[in-house]
């Protein structure tokens, strides 16, 4: 039975960057639905009982029933992606990457500003619903990418790459406040990123 990650802040805690109504709907309705639907699909897949969500997502082809595979892909992705998203935000943000992660960002991208630009263009360039990602592999390399729908780098690389930060660019993540202005939402998202937590996912 998978459970939504607990928030360390209130629904209004990310104001004015992410508004209370969006948080309420996003966490309370969308993420809750992905989680419930994932658990329902897994009830029909007893062979996956006890497996981590990462293990399930890195080998979706192990699910032979096509409808169940699609359900686990969409809802398992939605479950995992939003746990990461909500966990890596904090009221006021923490401004800049730290520690080993900051060093690797310098190595792979030059500096934080360059990484931010790369993530922003991945997020802006994703047509329709999806995500932009900062991911790492077992060597500690970093990579920026984007995925459609609720897909993520774990599924796309069979577990070679694991996201440590994700920007949700589904309209449900920003439309109530920002309407069509995805770029404004993305710029403001960086104001609430908790780089201390992102670094914990990295090391
Ligand atoms: Mn979402």
């Amino acid at each position: 039975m998978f459970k939504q990650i607990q928030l360390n802040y209130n629904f209004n805690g990310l104001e004015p960057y992410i508004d209370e109504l969006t948080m309420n709907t996003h966490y309370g309705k969308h993420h809750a639905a992905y989680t419930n639907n994932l658990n329902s699909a897994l009830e029909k897949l007893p062979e996956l009982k006890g497996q981590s969500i990462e293990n399930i997502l890195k080998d979706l082809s192990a699910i032979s029933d096509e409808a169940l595979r699609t359900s686990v892909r969409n809802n398992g992705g939605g479950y995992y992606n939003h746990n990461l998203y909500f966990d890596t935000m904090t009221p006021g943000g923490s401004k800049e990457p730290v520690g080993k992660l900051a060093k690797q960002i310098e190595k792979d991208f030059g500096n934080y500003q360059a990484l931010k630009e790369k993530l922003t263009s991945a997020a802006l360039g994703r047509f329709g619903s999806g995500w932009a990602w900062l991911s790492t592999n077992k060597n500690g390399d970093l990579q920026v990418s984007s995925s459609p729908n609720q897909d993520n780098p774990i599924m796309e690389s069979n577990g070679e790459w694991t996201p440590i930060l994700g920007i949700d660019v589904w309209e449900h993540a920003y439309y109530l406040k920002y309407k069509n202005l995805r770029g404004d939402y993305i710029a403001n998202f960086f104001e609430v990123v908790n780089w201390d937590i992102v670094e914990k996912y990295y090391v």
Side-chain angles (χ1 to χ4, degrees), residues 26 82 168 172:
H26 202 179
H82 288 87
D168 188 345
H172 69 226

Side-chain angles (χ1 to χ4, degrees), residues 87-101:
D87 200 31
T88 52
M89 294 190 288
T90 193
S94 68
K95 305 308 171 204
E96 298 247 336
V98 291
K100 276 180 76 176
L101 175 61

